[in-house]
Amino acid sequence: MNQQASIQKKNKRQRFNERQRTLASAAAAAALLASIGIGSWLLGASGLSVQLASRNLPPSFAHLFGTDWLGRDMLSRTVKGLALSIQVGLLGAACSVAIAAIMGLMAATLGRTADRMITWLIDVFLSVPHLVMLILIAFVCGGGLKGVAIGIMLTHWPGLARIIRAEALQLMSAEYVLVARKLGSSRYAVATRHLAPHLLPQLLVGFLILFPHAVLHEAAVTFLGLGMSPHQPAIGIILSESMRYLSSGMWWLAVFPGIGLLLTVRAFDTLGNHLRKLVDPRNTHL
């Protein structure tokens, strides 16, 4: 008995430590993202102005990330570029989650015909290469910030919609849903009052998983020259422009923005994984 109690106490302490590490990692990731937004606001637009007397300077105390060929401070450009990518990623991921939720709930509640049509639509989107579809939509919508945001919204929902559809179909066979249908509840009421609340954890995790993909795809499209204006401090534009100067030894033009992009994506990916562990009821060890 004493040995069993000792084992249970040890497991309880281990679960508590794992939960504390999970919360600490999630808080650190969220703090990094918040610092990018605050840093972008504090730096202002002064670092983006052209200073020909300070061009092509390597990293120093005056310019931590160096300067580019026009004398613009690379720290300001990198932070503002990351903030812009985060804004586009948040907008695109949020709208994609909304579309996925609507499609999944419609497929589960509107009958077999609607389910077949939505499933066919999901298969069509998944059959086309993701980046190709995003570029086509962004080009049709006129490019720029609006075109990239719309392209991300309309291309990142199918995978999550398939998961939401499966979860919603499983919930449709639950007893409380069957009772609600027999009592005369409409399909809209069943979807919004009985299904949607149970799908919120999946939607939250889906949002956190879609966001890094949205940021990377925004940077990729912008890097190819199909995204935002060259005058905007987007990470894709910064990396694309720096390719012409790497051979001359100006390594800081690509290294610091690239590391910043990777750290931002990794931070949100870590945040998503840790929150998934916290909200997923199957992870009882946490």
Side-chain angles (χ1 to χ4, degrees):
M1 293 295 294
N2 292 333
Q3 184 178 3
Q4 185 177 1
S6 177
I7 293 175
Q8 291 178 353
K9 185 177 180 179
K10 182 179 179 180
N11 292 336
K12 184 178 180 179
R13 184 170 59 253
Q14 184 179 1
R15 289 194 299 267
F16 176 78
N17 292 334
E18 290 177 354
R19 187 177 183 86
Q20 291 298 108
R21 286 194 296 267
T22 300
L23 292 175
S25 299
L32 174 61
L33 298 181
S35 64
I36 293 175
I38 297 174
S40 176
W41 176 69
L42 292 177
L43 288 174
S46 59
L48 302 179
S49 60
V50 176
Q51 303 288 339
L52 296 180
S54 303
R55 59 181 181 176
N56 301 333
L57 295 179
S60 62
F61 289 106
H63 302 280
L64 296 180
F65 287 5
T67 61
D68 63 4
W69 57 97
L70 293 177
R72 295 172 294 186
D73 183 62
M74 287 303 298
L75 175 61
S76 299
R77 296 196 73 197
T78 300
V79 173
K80 287 188 174 296
L82 291 175
L84 182 61
S85 297
I86 289 174
Q87 293 175 8
V88 176
L90 288 175
L91 178 61
C95 293
S96 296
V97 168
I99 296 173
I102 294 173
M103 289 295 184
L105 291 174
M106 288 175 60
T109 57
L110 296 183
R112 293 184 178 179
T113 302
D115 185 22
R116 291 174 181 174
M117 293 177 60
I118 292 174
T119 302
W120 175 81
L121 185 62
I122 292 174
D123 292 337
V124 169
F125 271 85
L126 292 178
S127 64
V128 181
H130 199 94
L131 191 58
V132 173
M133 177 70 74
L134 197 160
I135 292 174
L136 290 176
I137 295 176
F139 179 78
V140 170
C141 295
L145 179 62
K146 181 185 72 173
V148 174
I150 294 176
I152 292 174
M153 295 175 196
L154 298 180
T155 56
H156 285 70
W157 63 269
L160 180 59
R162 176 173 288 179
I163 297 175
I164 297 300
R165 169 187 170 274
E167 293 286 344
L169 287 174
Q170 185 177 2
L171 290 173
M172 286 294 292
S173 60
E175 292 185 1
Y176 70 95
V177 175
L178 297 177
V179 171
R181 292 293 300 274
K182 290 182 179 179
L183 292 177
S185 296
S186 64
R187 294 176 178 177
Y188 176 79
V190 170
T192 56
R193 298 179 183 177
H194 301 291
L195 300 184
H198 290 274
L199 296 174
L200 286 179
Q202 287 82 356
L203 294 175
L204 174 61
V205 173
F207 170 79
L208 296 174
I209 292 176
L210 287 178
F211 173 79
H213 293 276
V215 172
L216 287 176
H217 286 149
E218 177 272 329
V221 173
T222 307
F223 180 84
L224 295 175
L226 301 173
M228 286 164 269
S229 169
H231 302 289
Q232 293 177 298
I235 291 297
I237 294 175
I238 295 174
L239 293 176
S240 178
E241 293 176 343
S242 66
M243 295 297 103
R244 295 175 293 177
Y245 298 90
L246 289 180
S247 60
S248 61
M250 299 171 62
W251 54 268
W252 59 88
L253 297 181
V255 170
F256 292 119
I259 292 177
L261 178 63
L262 292 177
L263 289 178
T264 302
V265 171
R266 181 58 182 169
F268 219 100
D269 183 61
T270 302
L271 177 60
N273 290 331
H274 287 319
L275 287 181
R276 176 181 57 82
K277 295 178 181 179
L278 292 178
V279 302
D280 193 349
R282 291 173 294 183
N283 292 324
T284 55
H285 63 283
L286 294 179

